[in-house]
Amino acid sequence: MDIVETKNLKKYYRAGEGIVKALDGVDFSVREGEFVAIIGKSGSGKSTLLHMIGGLDTPTDGEVLVDGKRLAGMDREQLAIFRRRKVGFIFQNYNLVQNLSVYENIVLPIELDGVHIDFGFVEELLELLKLQEKKELFPGMLSGGQQQRAAIARALASKPAIILADEPTGNLDTESSHSVLGLLKMAAKRYQQTIVLITHDYDIAQLADRIVRIEDGRIVKGGSVYA
Amino acid sequence: MLRNNNSAVVAKMAVRSLSGNKRKNIVLILAVMLAAFMLFTILTVGGTWLHMQKVQEIHLQGGKYDVFFYGGFTKEQAEICKNHPEIRAVGIKGMAGWGIKTEQDSTLHSTFVWADKTQWEKIMRPAREWVRGDYPQNSNEVMATKAALEDCGLGNLSIGDSFTITYGDALGEHTKKFRICGMWEGYGDKKVFYVSKTFFDQSGFTLEDYGRGFMHLQIKNAFLTDKKFKDLERDLKVGKKQRLMLTSTASDDMLYLLLGLSGLMAVTCLSAYLLIYNIMYLSVSGNIRYYGLLQTIGMTPGQVRQMVKKEMQIVGGIGIGAGLLLGIFTSFGLIPAIVKVLGVREKDIEIAFRPLFICLSALFAAATVKIGSSKPVKMAAMSSPIEALGYQAAVLCNRKRKVRNSLRGSLIWRMALERLFRDKKKTAMVVCSLGISLSVFLCMVTLIESQGARTIVSNYMEADMAIQNDTMQMKEKSGWKPLIDHSFLKKIEEDGAVKEMHPILNEEIIIPWEEDFVEYWMTNFYDMWMEESYEDVKEDYQKHPEKYYSFLVGIDREEFRYLNSAIGNKVKEADFLEGNVCILYENTLGLDFEKVKGKRVSFYLSDNPERNCQMAIEGMSNDSYYANLLGTTPTLIVSDKFLKGISDNPYVSKVSIRYRREYDTEAEDRIKGLIEASKEKKDFSYNSKIEELQMVKKAQGNMMGIGMGIVLLLAFIGIMNYVNTSVSNLQSSQMELSVMESIGMSQAQLRKLLIREGLLYALMALIFAMTAGLSVTYYLYQSMNYRGIPFWMPVIPVMAAVFVVMLLCILVPLIAYRQIEQKESLVERIRRFEC
């Protein structure tokens, strides 16, 4: 079953006199539990595609369906709720809330949703991501790798339908990068999570079940699992 | 739709966010605190002053009333008052007689007064501390005070006792035994025996008689506007001898006071609003990434709004609470001091702590916080997560920009200008805030200085000293002594510190009756000032004009010029000096000048009936300085040359002196020495500008200090706003400045840029103050300018304020940049922005 599907997705920007086609008719799908890596050069449109799937940005044309829900008709409020329930984001620069502890960061999306926190699950995540000792610390007190592990824990904590990771190892050294990705993959496997990961590093992309190449806003390889 | 129980986490986020921005929040709390403090102080001072003014008025007047009808009144007038829509209560008082003697004392000052039920029970009650017994019902009963009894030498008597007194009324003198049926103590005239209506009816006086019948009116509303008061006068058809007087707390001066208080409150709220808006705007702009991040991980725009609102609620709550507490604690000392400065003389000042004032202060401060933060709150909620991910405080340059000739003008000035207008709204906020502080300062300083002791005294007293011969106050000319004679004047003239002196000469004159001008004058004079009617004395005057004497007043050319400049109809100097024309002293009769102008008046000196003079009236003045001697017939102001021509040795009633140096105490001491050296020194009196100045200064107390306090508090808010904006601006433009430094901009150039930017801020704030601020100041000044003092801006304080603002605008960005610069190296700064 497809957890993500985009149909003829377009995102055009006006820049001066011309138009930039960040996405130009992208048909793309991801199956449930699949780990997909999107690779492409800088400015190829990979981040834009991720933002569209995550409901962070709105398309110029086309459709995005996540877990059977069309994002097109949702307002800002509904999109925010969709994100905290269905999507877990992991960013290159971690984007942790600096004035909350690691633990508070992790449970924040659940608390925002007003639902009961599954403490056992959170503890399990902390254990899995080796953050038990760090949970009371603030992000500023952690190394880059530790911060990214906290971000992964936060992304997983609300048990979303899909994890979207935008260059999660971009700010990390090689050792930390492998450690973080290893943990991400392991966690995804344990909880049957779907991952869409953006990278420009082919070695990292090799860890995925499928690699999608994007160039000039178009998918040139691996757009669909059926292809 | 999807309602979640997530307020706890939003509140937690708000608290965390607050603790993470201590500097910003302290400034915000301080701003709210000062605003709440100022609002509370303004309201409490206003309330206390009003309350105490009313208490003082009740104590001084001996009753609670708003309008006083004096001069006797008719039954119709009383009826009109009772049925008038503006009037709530009418108290009536009738003068029934006066004490002459008792066995114990033969110089009594006590009077017999009848008060009707409303007067006694409603009007006078608030001024009484206690009352025992009942109001007199029979003609031999009195309601007494200890003071009245003591005045009669009967201080040991009390309720139930009787005494015999000789008193006078319209029917003559009577000796009668009275029983004290009640006693009271309180405020007002206490040398009074209140008597029954029967006693008043037997006195021969009626309420219509001049000086016998009085009405005290309580109005329905808080105050009576000038128009409504005039309407009331018209409705009552107030006669020439009658007077309708409005007490100060019931006049529309109160409206101006309320407007003034509202204005101060509005400026306080506006200053606080600007600061709150600015801080929040800067804070939210700087945190767009943070709000975007929260939205990325699922916080809804509503939750972001709720979170920022919560932050402001906490800040507002702490600030308002602290401000009100500060207000309450300081008010015990501060408010009585301010209220005393504002003219209340009561010993014990009760501070009007009204829950309403606390609520209103809190409400206004809370509204300011809410309005000030609403736009930034909206901005935070509207921040798009996608923009936030790549957000950098950059210029939106989507609008058409003019192509500039890069060779024109100084580069640094151009850069400073560009930086200034990059975010016009932010710049406008800072300029407004600084401009308002400066304008309030300008306004306060101008108003305080213009009402300052030196200005007031200088304005109403031209001369430095005026010496008067008091013997000339005696009715009989035989009692006059030539105290200010030639030798006395010569000694003054010879003093090197005296610049000029102007004696006022006087001669007694007789003006015989004539049917035109003199008849017009006498009719008006008797209508206005005399108890008896002119018709009753007209014949006597025609037969014996010498009994109706008056005075000639001789003034020199300088005095004439001064007087002529102040009167409506200008008199030709040559005609006046030659003795062809004179100026009539109007004696506030309200004469129609057209009926007087050009009329010739005949007179002769009382001690030389042979010398007949005639003169045309060409001017009319009400300046009492020239008319210290008043007769029944007109007082005429003529040239001293003319007066000396008809009189061999005219008396000098007064002499005004001007020193070479204003407020020359040494010169004044020497002149006072001349008076002291005179054998008749007790018969001299004088007015001194120096003494007047000391008196006004004492009366005004620390008015300047309080005014300055208000100015400083508002200026502090304005300065905080500038400091905050300046620091935030620098922080957000660190990248730009660092890049400029890296491509070769020297430290000196950077400093120049910041100095110019600061100067431009200062300049714009000054333009604001000198246009909007000055206009408001001028308007306020003229609306309060009862003494007709010309508008004048105090240069030194204003220049000092301008200097302080300029210095501040220059130094703050320089210091802030130095701090940033010292914290990190150039490379570190650039790297921080790159990552």
Side-chain angles (χ1 to χ4, degrees):
Chain A
M1 183 200 163
D2 288 344
I3 195 97
V4 174
E5 192 180 359
T6 73
K7 291 175 186 167
N8 194 27
L9 197 63
K10 291 178 182 169
K11 181 72 183 179
Y12 296 170
Y13 296 104
R14 190 174 292 278
E17 298 298 302
I19 286 175
V20 172
K21 294 177 176 177
L23 292 176
D24 191 16
V26 171
D27 292 308
F28 170 70
S29 60
V30 181
R31 287 173 67 187
E32 196 171 352
E34 196 182 5
F35 181 175
V36 177
I38 302 173
I39 59 168
K41 286 179 191 162
S42 202
S44 58
K46 53 188 191 301
S47 286
T48 309
L49 178 61
L50 197 82
H51 293 157
M52 297 290 167
I53 297 168
L56 292 175
D57 205 352
T58 49
T60 311
D61 197 11
E63 244 185 4
V64 181
L65 283 110
V66 178
D67 204 13
K69 283 193 165 59
R70 282 181 70 241
L71 304 192
M74 294 186 187
D75 61 18
R76 282 166 56 88
E77 197 83 6
Q78 288 167 325
L79 280 172
I81 294 162
F82 155 77
R83 280 195 298 273
R84 76 181 175 218
R85 290 185 181 164
K86 298 286 180 193
V87 186
F89 277 105
I90 304 167
F91 298 100
Q92 179 179 353
N93 49 4
Y94 332 125
N95 280 350
L96 293 169
V97 180
Q98 295 298 311
N99 50 29
L100 295 181
S101 69
V102 167
Y103 184 84
E104 287 168 330
N105 261 290
I106 293 169
V107 298
L108 181 62
I110 310 168
E111 285 188 299
L112 285 172
D113 212 21
V115 293
H116 184 70
I117 299 168
D118 184 346
F119 294 106
F121 179 61
V122 176
E123 285 300 315
E124 200 182 305
L125 277 176
L126 286 167
E127 189 79 41
L128 185 71
L129 293 163
K130 299 180 181 128
L131 288 166
Q132 268 298 4
E133 307 293 312
K134 312 286 178 193
K135 66 177 180 183
E136 300 302 331
L137 299 182
F138 286 90
M141 299 165 163
L142 304 179
S143 69
Q146 287 166 337
Q147 286 195 56
Q148 198 56 296
R149 289 198 325 253
I152 292 170
R154 183 178 67 185
L156 290 165
S158 56
K159 300 176 186 165
I162 184 167
I163 303 258
L164 302 176
D166 191 354
E167 301 269 13
T169 55
N171 281 344
L172 301 177
D173 56 39
T174 316
E175 197 188 326
S176 302
S177 296
H178 284 113
S179 152
V180 162
L181 276 178
L183 284 169
L184 176 63
K185 195 168 176 187
M186 185 177 75
K189 192 153 261 170
R190 180 181 289 194
Y191 306 116
Q192 287 98 46
Q193 288 284 0
T194 309
I195 301 175
V196 178
L197 177 139
I198 281 180
T199 183
H200 55 260
D201 186 336
Y202 195 76
D203 288 347
I204 285 172
Q206 291 293 335
L207 293 168
D209 303 330
R210 175 159 61 101
I211 297 173
V212 176
R213 181 180 288 278
I214 190 163
E215 277 174 22
D216 299 329
R218 287 169 176 275
I219 290 178
V220 292
K221 188 187 163 194
S224 166
V225 70
Y226 311 106
Chain B
M1 177 190 68
L2 298 149
R3 201 168 169 80
N4 297 322
N5 179 24
N6 49 22
S7 52
V9 67
V10 172
K12 184 174 79 181
M13 295 287 290
V15 173
R16 288 296 172 85
S17 178
L18 276 177
S19 57
N21 285 301
K22 284 204 179 82
R23 190 182 65 86
K24 175 197 93 179
N25 292 312
I26 287 171
V27 177
L28 271 177
I29 288 172
L30 216 57
V32 180
M33 188 183 94
L34 283 178
F37 169 71
M38 287 269 290
L39 291 171
F40 177 77
T41 308
I42 292 166
L43 281 171
T44 313
V45 164
T48 305
W49 184 83
L50 202 64
H51 171 67
M52 291 315 296
Q53 199 71 9
K54 277 194 174 146
V55 167
Q56 183 169 291
E57 214 163 65
I58 290 168
H59 288 180
L60 288 172
Q61 294 172 168
K64 188 180 178 185
Y65 57 88
D66 307 301
V67 182
F68 180 40
F69 195 113
Y70 172 85
F73 57 91
T74 62
K75 275 182 188 153
E76 291 74 35
Q77 285 173 321
E79 272 315 300
I80 292 168
C81 284
K82 282 174 185 166
N83 300 318
H84 201 278
E86 293 290 337
I87 296 167
R88 192 174 52 196
V90 181
I92 291 172
K93 214 165 83 170
M95 172 66 110
W98 53 91
I100 296 171
K101 62 181 180 191
T102 59
E103 268 181 31
Q104 290 76 7
D105 199 323
S106 57
T107 53
L108 307 189
H109 307 91
S110 297
T111 52
F112 290 82
V113 172
W114 163 68
D116 78 345
K117 200 172 177 205
T118 314
Q119 176 72 17
W120 180 253
E121 288 182 1
K122 194 160 186 170
I123 308 281
M124 290 176 66
R125 177 175 278 174
R128 279 197 299 265
E129 282 172 350
W130 55 260
V131 60
R132 286 182 203 125
D134 298 309
Y135 193 83
Q137 298 300 322
N138 301 314
S139 69
N140 66 339
E141 287 176 339
V142 290
M143 168 66 76
T145 61
K146 188 98 181 140
L149 290 170
E150 277 171 358
D151 178 57
C152 300
L154 305 164
N156 54 343
L157 299 189
S158 76
I159 300 176
D161 293 336
S162 297
F163 63 95
T164 303
I165 185 169
T166 303
Y167 66 93
D169 60 20
L171 307 172
E173 278 187 23
H174 319 273
T175 302
K176 191 172 175 175
K177 191 174 180 184
F178 288 93
R179 191 178 73 84
I180 303 168
C181 67
M183 282 187 79
W184 66 279
E185 198 52 66
Y187 298 90
D189 185 6
K190 288 193 280 181
K191 286 184 183 169
V192 176
F193 291 106
Y194 281 94
V195 293
S196 62
K197 173 89 166 64
T198 326
F199 184 94
F200 177 74
D201 290 340
Q202 291 167 356
S203 69
F205 291 126
T206 69
L207 293 171
E208 285 189 33
D209 295 342
Y210 178 83
R212 303 298 172 221
F214 311 91
M215 278 196 285
H216 294 122
L217 316 177
Q218 278 183 2
I219 54 172
K220 280 183 183 156
N221 296 323
F223 53 84
L224 214 54
T225 60
D226 201 34
K227 188 188 167 294
K228 283 194 171 168
F229 181 69
K230 287 206 169 94
D231 289 348
L232 181 62
E233 268 185 324
R234 197 195 54 225
D235 295 345
L236 286 171
K237 298 187 185 79
V238 175
K240 260 215 148 177
K241 281 185 187 172
Q242 293 175 322
R243 286 279 179 278
L244 201 60
M245 286 180 271
L246 194 60
T247 61
S248 62
T249 54
S251 71
D252 53 7
D253 285 354
M254 283 301 112
L255 186 68
Y256 289 118
L257 175 86
L258 292 177
L259 282 176
L261 289 179
S262 312
L264 261 181
M265 284 172 69
V267 170
T268 306
C269 287
L270 187 64
S271 301
Y273 161 79
L274 288 175
L275 182 60
I276 291 164
Y277 176 88
N278 217 1
I279 295 174
M280 285 306 292
Y281 180 83
L282 290 171
S283 158
V284 169
S285 313
N287 281 324
I288 284 290
R289 200 187 167 95
Y290 170 68
Y291 298 119
L293 162 68
L294 293 176
Q295 291 200 43
T296 306
I297 59 172
M299 199 176 231
T300 62
Q303 285 172 328
V304 172
R305 193 179 296 127
Q306 209 181 323
M307 184 183 82
V308 186
K309 263 190 190 167
K310 194 94 198 164
E311 273 182 57
M312 287 316 293
Q313 279 166 7
I314 296 169
V315 164
I318 297 172
I320 292 170
L324 291 179
L325 277 178
L326 183 71
I328 290 166
F329 282 123
T330 53
S331 57
F332 288 106
L334 187 69
I335 287 166
I338 300 176
V339 171
K340 272 191 178 160
V341 165
L342 294 174
V344 170
R345 291 182 294 276
E346 291 292 314
K347 252 195 278 172
D348 303 313
I349 289 180
E350 294 165 46
I351 301 168
F353 273 129
R354 305 234 167 93
L356 179 71
F357 292 163
I358 296 177
C359 293
L360 272 179
S361 318
L363 199 73
F364 277 118
T368 307
V369 173
K370 188 171 167 42
I371 298 167
S373 58
S374 70
K375 179 85 192 295
V377 165
K378 222 179 270 174
M379 233 169 82
M382 293 308 288
S383 59
S384 138
I386 191 70
E387 271 175 39
L389 289 177
Y391 182 85
Q392 214 169 39
V395 199
L396 289 170
C397 39
N398 52 347
R399 292 196 194 112
K400 283 180 190 167
R401 293 180 68 176
K402 283 180 193 164
V403 179
R404 283 190 314 234
N405 182 349
S406 61
L407 295 175
R408 269 176 57 188
S410 150
L411 173 74
I412 306 280
W413 273 115
R414 276 207 325 266
M415 284 173 76
L417 266 170
E418 203 224 358
R419 279 170 60 81
L420 194 75
F421 292 113
R422 194 175 288 173
D423 190 340
K424 290 190 186 77
K425 202 166 179 181
K426 205 195 288 176
T427 307
M429 283 288 169
V430 178
V431 168
C432 269
S433 185
L434 266 179
I436 284 175
S437 305
L438 250 179
S439 302
V440 173
F441 178 81
L442 178 75
C443 190
M444 285 286 192
V445 164
T446 309
L447 294 182
I448 291 168
E449 277 282 307
S450 69
Q451 302 302 311
R454 199 167 264 257
T455 320
I456 289 174
V457 173
S458 293
N459 195 65
Y460 101 104
M461 212 172 153
E462 272 288 307
D464 287 295
M465 196 182 194
I467 302 170
Q468 186 170 300
N469 176 356
D470 286 347
T471 65
M472 292 174 70
Q473 301 290 324
M474 290 182 197
K475 270 189 176 177
E476 300 301 321
K477 199 180 168 186
S478 55
W480 293 11
K481 293 177 193 168
L483 297 180
I484 307 177
D485 56 8
H486 181 68
S487 74
F488 186 85
L489 292 173
K490 199 163 180 236
K491 280 179 200 158
I492 296 173
E493 205 171 14
E494 282 170 356
D495 191 310
V498 172
K499 188 177 161 196
E500 55 194 73
M501 62 164 199
H502 306 286
I504 304 278
L505 310 181
N506 288 91
E507 261 306 351
E508 196 179 282
I509 53 166
I510 312 294
I511 301 177
W513 180 83
E514 52 90 11
E515 61 185 346
D516 192 2
F517 163 68
V518 177
E519 179 73 0
Y520 177 59
W521 168 276
M522 292 298 272
T523 312
N524 278 284
F525 182 83
Y526 271 79
D527 269 358
M528 180 78 143
W529 297 116
M530 306 302 276
E531 273 188 47
E532 64 261 67
S533 146
Y534 174 55
E535 289 306 316
D536 296 344
V537 298
K538 187 171 170 180
E539 211 180 313
D540 187 49
Y541 169 45
Q542 285 168 333
K543 282 183 189 161
H544 306 287
E546 68 281 359
K547 281 160 70 181
Y548 299 83
Y549 57 84
S550 184
F551 297 93
L552 268 193
V553 179
I555 58 172
D556 62 17
R557 188 170 57 188
E558 282 68 32
E559 287 284 6
F560 165 75
R561 283 179 180 168
Y562 175 75
L563 178 63
N564 203 26
S565 69
I567 61 175
N569 191 66
K570 303 294 173 214
V571 178
K572 282 186 188 159
E573 188 174 307
D575 285 350
F576 182 83
L577 295 179
E578 284 306 313
N580 298 328
V581 298
C582 66
I583 296 169
L584 173 72
Y585 175 65
E586 194 195 347
N587 201 5
T588 61
L589 291 181
L591 300 180
D592 179 357
F593 185 61
E594 288 307 312
K595 288 187 179 168
V596 172
K597 190 174 180 281
K599 293 282 159 66
R600 297 192 73 81
V601 53
S602 302
F603 59 88
Y604 55 86
L605 296 183
S606 58
D607 46 13
N608 185 9
E610 307 306 313
R611 180 83 196 256
N612 248 309
C613 304
Q614 217 183 43
M615 212 176 254
I617 299 167
E618 281 300 322
M620 194 159 76
S621 165
N622 253 324
D623 192 336
S624 60
Y625 176 79
Y626 301 99
N628 59 324
L629 307 176
L630 285 174
T632 314
T633 43
T635 297
L636 306 173
I637 303 167
V638 297
S639 82
D640 57 351
K641 194 176 141 196
F642 168 80
L643 187 49
K644 280 176 191 163
I646 60 165
S647 167
D648 298 333
N649 201 12
Y651 281 85
V652 177
S653 61
K654 44 171 99 160
V655 56
S656 64
I657 303 160
R658 286 184 88 160
Y659 309 136
R660 291 190 189 283
R661 192 163 51 83
E662 213 183 4
Y663 301 103
D664 184 344
T665 45
E666 285 173 18
E668 185 147 311
D669 285 345
R670 282 196 298 277
I671 307 248
K672 282 184 192 166
L674 285 179
I675 298 171
E676 282 298 311
S678 167
K679 279 182 202 163
E680 321 279 352
K681 63 180 179 188
K682 65 175 182 22
D683 290 329
F684 281 99
S685 66
Y686 60 84
N687 278 327
S688 145
K689 206 185 221 180
I690 296 170
E691 287 181 10
E692 200 72 26
L693 175 77
Q694 283 159 353
M695 208 179 76
V696 175
K697 264 187 183 166
K698 199 176 160 195
Q700 287 189 339
N702 198 19
M703 191 165 114
M704 187 81 171
I706 285 158
M708 282 298 110
I710 295 171
V711 170
L712 287 179
L713 279 179
L714 288 174
F716 184 61
I717 295 180
I719 289 167
M720 277 205 304
N721 206 350
Y722 178 71
V723 171
N724 193 65
T725 314
S726 207
V727 171
S728 311
N729 265 352
L730 271 174
Q731 272 167 354
S732 60
S733 63
Q734 257 189 84
M735 170 66 171
E736 181 194 337
L737 294 174
S738 304
V739 168
M740 284 195 287
E741 210 180 323
S742 71
I743 59 167
M745 195 173 204
S746 70
Q747 289 285 312
Q749 283 173 317
L750 259 177
R751 274 198 294 273
K752 271 185 197 167
L753 175 69
L754 295 176
I755 288 172
R756 278 160 176 69
E757 200 182 332
L759 273 175
L760 287 171
Y761 269 117
L763 195 71
M764 290 204 295
L766 284 178
I767 291 171
F768 182 99
M770 290 301 154
T771 49
L774 200 61
S775 312
V776 173
T777 304
Y778 183 78
Y779 175 75
L780 285 177
Y781 181 93
Q782 292 303 2
S783 65
M784 289 170 65
N785 192 10
Y786 308 117
R787 295 185 178 90
I789 301 167
F791 182 76
W792 178 78
M793 200 170 67
V795 181
I796 296 171
V798 171
M799 290 310 285
V802 168
F803 177 73
V804 168
V805 167
M806 289 224 167
L807 203 68
L808 194 87
C809 287
I810 291 169
L811 286 182
V812 168
L814 280 182
I815 294 168
Y817 190 70
R818 207 178 149 75
Q819 297 271 321
I820 292 168
E821 206 183 39
Q822 280 174 347
K823 226 185 265 174
E824 288 172 316
S825 72
L826 179 62
V827 178
E828 281 169 333
R829 270 179 278 151
I830 292 175
R831 195 175 291 152
R832 184 153 55 83
F833 285 99
E834 277 177 343
C835 67

